Amino acid sequence: MMMNDIVLVGFGGHAKSVADCIEREGKYHIVGYTDMREADSRYSYLGTDDELHTIFGGGVKNAAIGIGYMGKGAVRQHLYATLKQIGFYLPVITDPSAIVSNTAVVGEGTFIGKCAVINAEASIGKMAIINTKALIEHECVVDDFSHVAVGAVLCGQVKVGEGAFIGANSTVIQCRQIESNAIVPAGATIR
Amino acid sequence: MMMNDIVLVGFGGHAKSVADCIEREGKYHIVGYTDMREADSRYSYLGTDDELHTIFGGGVKNAAIGIGYMGKGAVRQHLYATLKQIGFYLPVITDPSAIVSNTAVVGEGTFIGKCAVINAEASIGKMAIINTKALIEHECVVDDFSHVAVGAVLCGQVKVGEGAFIGANSTVIQCRQIESNAIVPAGATIR
Amino acid sequence: MMMNDIVLVGFGGHAKSVADCIEREGKYHIVGYTDMREADSRYSYLGTDDELHTIFGGGVKNAAIGIGYMGKGAVRQHLYATLKQIGFYLPVITDPSAIVSNTAVVGEGTFIGKCAVINAEASIGKMAIINTKALIEHECVVDDFSHVAVGAVLCGQVKVGEGAFIGANSTVIQCRQIESNAIVPAGATIR
C-alpha cells in the first residue's frame, strides 16, 4: 500500500493517541505537527499553524487534528474551517482494533480510537471523536464535532447534538437525546 | 463453508445488532424476519409469527430472536417455547470480535455481541443476551433468559438468576448474587 | 515456537483468568500450581510454596502469581521477593486480545488481561495487574504492584501510586493522581 503524508495539527496528549492509531492503521506517514510551540513529541515540529499553507503547498494533502480536550470544541471547529479553506483532506482515522458496522456511516475527519465500537446503522458526523473503548450502539446519531470520551456507552438510538461532550465511562440509556454543546460528566448516567 | 438459512423472529433495534453479528460471523444466511408488522429493515418481511410453521416447513431450520429489550423477557421465553415446539434450532450467535474462554460454556440460542468477553469457567445459560462490550468474569453463572446489557461488568464468581436484567455499563462486584427477574439499573454498582 | 515451562504461584479465581491468558498466548506451558492447599483447578497441585525451590531446581524457570484480590497486595509483594530470591523470571503475561501501544512500557511480571488497552506512552510498573477490559490512556503512569480492576478507565496522564487498587468499572479523569495503596471503589468516579 502506498503511504500518504499527513500532518498533525495541534499536539497534546490526545495527539499521541491519534498518532498511535495512524501508525497502527498504516495508511499515512506522519510528517510532523504544527502547534503554537514545540511539544513533548517523537514527531518533527513544523512551526505554527501559519505554516499550514506552506506544508500543503509542499505536497502534504492530509491533516488530522490532534486537539481533543473538553471545552476546546470551538478550537476544533475553527481549525477545521482553516484546513478546509487551504484544501486539506481530513481522513477518518480508525484504529485497526475498532469495529465499525458495515451499515454505519462516519463523516470526514472523525477519529475512532482503539477498541471503539460503532454498531449497526449508527451515524457519526464529521470531525467527531469516538475515543478509546467508546461504544455507539445501533441507530445512534452523533453530530459533527462531538466528543464521546473513553469508555463512554451510548445505548441504542441515542442522539448526540453537535459539539457535545460525553464524558469518560458515562452512560446514556436508549433513545435519549443529548443537546448540542451539552456536557455529560465522566461516570454519569443519563436516564 | 456452507451457509445455512436463519430467520429472525421479531425485528426491533436489537435485531439490527444481532443481524449484523450473524453477517459478520458468516455461518448463516438471513432469509428475513417475522413480526407483528413490517419494520424499518434491510431484510424481507415474512409475515407474523403465524408463518413460522410454513417457514420451517420450507427448509429454514434455524432461528434467532431479535427482541432484546428490558421488560420483554416473558416475550422471549414464550417465543422460545413456540420455536422449539415447531422444531427450530436456535444457534449461539457470537460476534467474531467477542472472546469466549475455552473453559466457558454457553447455552442454546444465546447472543454474544461485539467485543463481549466471557472469561474462564463462566457458565451462560440458554437464550441469554451478553450484549456489546459486556464482561462476564471468571466463574460467573448467568442463568437462562438473562440480559447483560451493553458495557456491563460482572466481576468474578457473580451469579445472575433467570430472566434478570443487568443494565448498561453497570457493575456487580465479585461473588454477588442477582436474583431471578431482578433489574440492575444502567450505571449502577452492586456492592 | 518452543514452549517454556511456567508455574502458577497461588491459585484462586484470578489464577483461572491468568492461566487462560497464558494458554491463549501460547508462549508458556503451565506445569501446575503451588498454594497452601489443593484448589478447584484443572492444573496439577505441586504443593505449598516451600516446593518452589525444588520446582526451580527441576528446570521450571518462569513463574506467574495467581493471587489478585484487593487487599492482598502485601502477599503479592512478599511472593515476588521470594520468587526473585530463588531466581525465577516473571514474564509479562499479555492476552492476545489486549492492545499495548508500541510507545508504552510494561514492567516485569505484570498481567494484562483480555481486551485491556494500554495507550501511547503509558508506563506500567512491575507486578501490576491491568485486568480484563481495563483502559490505561495515553501517558498514564501506573506504579509497581498496582491493580487496575476489570473495566476500569484511567483517562490521559493519570498517575497511580504503588500498590493502589482501582476498582471494577471505576473512572479516573485526566491528570488525577491516586496515592500509593489507595483504594478506588468499584464504579466510583474520581474527578
Side-chain angles (χ1 to χ4, degrees):
Chain A
M1 186 184 335
M2 210 183 77
M3 299 249 286
N4 295 304
D5 287 341
I6 196 167
V7 58
L8 297 172
V9 182
F11 199 92
H14 178 66
K16 296 184 177 181
S17 180
V18 173
D20 202 62
C21 295
I22 291 173
E23 296 198 346
R24 288 165 46 88
E25 205 179 6
K27 289 186 185 169
Y28 299 94
H29 170 251
I30 300 168
V31 295
Y33 67 95
T34 58
D35 206 328
M36 285 188 292
R37 59 190 67 81
E38 190 160 2
D40 163 34
S41 172
R42 305 182 302 125
Y43 302 100
S44 301
Y45 180 54
L46 304 175
T48 70
D49 293 349
D50 294 341
E51 302 300 319
L52 286 166
H53 271 99
T54 309
I55 292 165
F56 185 82
V60 180
K61 304 304 183 196
N62 304 288
I65 295 182
I67 296 171
Y69 301 98
M70 178 176 66
K72 290 191 184 168
V75 176
R76 284 174 61 84
Q77 295 191 33
H78 175 74
L79 277 177
Y80 173 72
T82 302
L83 290 166
K84 290 306 288 181
Q85 203 171 16
I86 296 173
F88 278 105
Y89 176 63
L90 292 107
V92 174
I93 306 296
T94 307
D95 191 87
S97 67
I99 295 177
V100 181
S101 168
N102 285 335
T103 59
V105 295
V106 178
E108 178 184 20
T110 286
F111 169 70
I112 304 171
K114 295 179 176 74
C115 293
V117 174
I118 299 176
N119 216 340
E121 299 188 21
S123 173
I124 314 292
K126 67 184 181 192
M127 296 305 296
I129 297 173
I130 310 298
N131 219 336
T132 321
K133 276 183 179 290
L135 167 58
I136 313 296
E137 260 297 337
H138 55 81
E139 304 159 281
C140 283
V141 178
V142 176
D143 280 353
D144 303 345
F145 302 106
S146 292
H147 181 161
V148 182
V150 294
V153 171
L154 304 186
C155 297
Q157 303 177 353
V158 163
K159 286 194 196 320
V160 175
E162 186 169 319
F165 181 86
I166 312 294
N169 208 8
S170 63
T171 311
V172 183
I173 73 161
Q174 60 277 7
C175 307
R176 292 299 177 275
Q177 187 149 357
I178 305 297
E179 290 185 20
S180 296
N181 300 309
I183 293 178
V184 172
T189 302
I190 306 299
R191 293 199 173 84
Chain B
M1 185 186 334
M2 211 184 76
M3 298 249 287
N4 296 305
D5 288 340
I6 196 167
V7 58
L8 297 172
V9 182
F11 199 92
H14 178 66
K16 296 184 178 181
S17 181
V18 173
D20 202 62
C21 295
I22 290 173
E23 295 198 347
R24 288 165 47 88
E25 206 179 5
K27 289 185 184 169
Y28 299 95
H29 169 251
I30 299 169
V31 294
Y33 67 95
T34 59
D35 206 330
M36 285 187 292
R37 59 190 67 81
E38 190 159 2
D40 164 34
S41 173
R42 305 185 300 126
Y43 301 101
S44 301
Y45 179 55
L46 304 175
T48 69
D49 294 350
D50 294 341
E51 301 302 317
L52 287 166
H53 271 99
T54 309
I55 292 166
F56 186 80
V60 180
K61 305 304 184 197
N62 304 288
I65 295 181
I67 297 171
Y69 300 97
M70 178 176 67
K72 292 193 182 164
V75 176
R76 284 173 61 85
Q77 296 192 33
H78 174 74
L79 277 177
Y80 173 72
T82 301
L83 291 166
K84 289 306 288 181
Q85 202 171 15
I86 297 173
F88 278 105
Y89 176 62
L90 292 109
V92 174
I93 306 296
T94 306
D95 192 87
S97 66
I99 296 177
V100 180
S101 167
N102 285 334
T103 60
V105 293
V106 178
E108 179 186 18
T110 285
F111 170 70
I112 304 171
K114 295 180 175 75
C115 293
V117 174
I118 300 177
N119 215 340
E121 299 188 19
S123 173
I124 315 293
K126 65 184 180 192
M127 297 304 298
I129 297 174
I130 309 299
N131 220 335
T132 321
K133 276 184 178 290
L135 167 56
I136 313 295
E137 260 296 338
H138 56 80
E139 303 159 282
C140 283
V141 178
V142 176
D143 279 353
D144 302 346
F145 301 105
S146 291
H147 181 160
V148 181
V150 295
V153 171
L154 304 186
C155 296
Q157 303 177 353
V158 164
K159 286 191 195 326
V160 175
E162 187 170 319
F165 181 86
I166 310 295
N169 208 8
S170 64
T171 311
V172 183
I173 72 162
Q174 62 275 7
C175 307
R176 292 301 178 274
Q177 186 150 356
I178 306 298
E179 291 186 19
S180 296
N181 300 309
I183 293 177
V184 172
T189 302
I190 306 298
R191 291 199 175 86
Chain C
M1 185 188 334
M2 209 182 80
M3 298 250 286
N4 295 304
D5 288 340
I6 196 168
V7 59
L8 298 172
V9 183
F11 198 92
H14 178 65
K16 296 183 177 182
S17 180
V18 173
D20 202 62
C21 295
I22 291 173
E23 295 197 348
R24 287 164 47 88
E25 205 179 7
K27 289 185 183 169
Y28 299 95
H29 170 251
I30 299 169
V31 296
Y33 68 95
T34 58
D35 206 328
M36 285 188 291
R37 61 189 67 80
E38 191 160 0
D40 163 34
S41 173
R42 305 184 301 124
Y43 301 100
S44 302
Y45 179 54
L46 305 174
T48 70
D49 293 350
D50 293 343
E51 302 302 318
L52 286 166
H53 271 99
T54 309
I55 292 164
F56 185 81
V60 180
K61 304 304 184 196
N62 303 289
I65 294 181
I67 297 171
Y69 301 98
M70 178 177 69
K72 291 192 181 165
V75 175
R76 283 174 61 86
Q77 296 191 32
H78 174 74
L79 277 178
Y80 173 72
T82 302
L83 290 166
K84 291 306 288 181
Q85 203 172 14
I86 297 172
F88 278 105
Y89 176 63
L90 291 108
V92 174
I93 306 297
T94 307
D95 191 86
S97 66
I99 296 178
V100 180
S101 167
N102 285 335
T103 59
V105 293
V106 178
E108 178 186 19
T110 285
F111 169 70
I112 304 170
K114 295 179 176 72
C115 293
V117 174
I118 300 177
N119 216 339
E121 299 188 22
S123 174
I124 315 292
K126 67 184 179 191
M127 297 304 298
I129 296 173
I130 310 299
N131 219 336
T132 320
K133 277 183 177 289
L135 167 56
I136 312 295
E137 260 298 335
H138 56 80
E139 303 160 281
C140 283
V141 178
V142 176
D143 279 353
D144 303 345
F145 302 105
S146 292
H147 181 161
V148 181
V150 293
V153 171
L154 304 185
C155 296
Q157 302 177 354
V158 163
K159 286 191 195 324
V160 174
E162 186 170 319
F165 181 86
I166 312 295
N169 209 7
S170 64
T171 311
V172 183
I173 71 163
Q174 61 276 7
C175 307
R176 293 300 177 275
Q177 186 150 358
I178 306 297
E179 291 185 19
S180 296
N181 300 309
I183 292 177
V184 172
T189 302
I190 305 298
R191 292 197 174 85

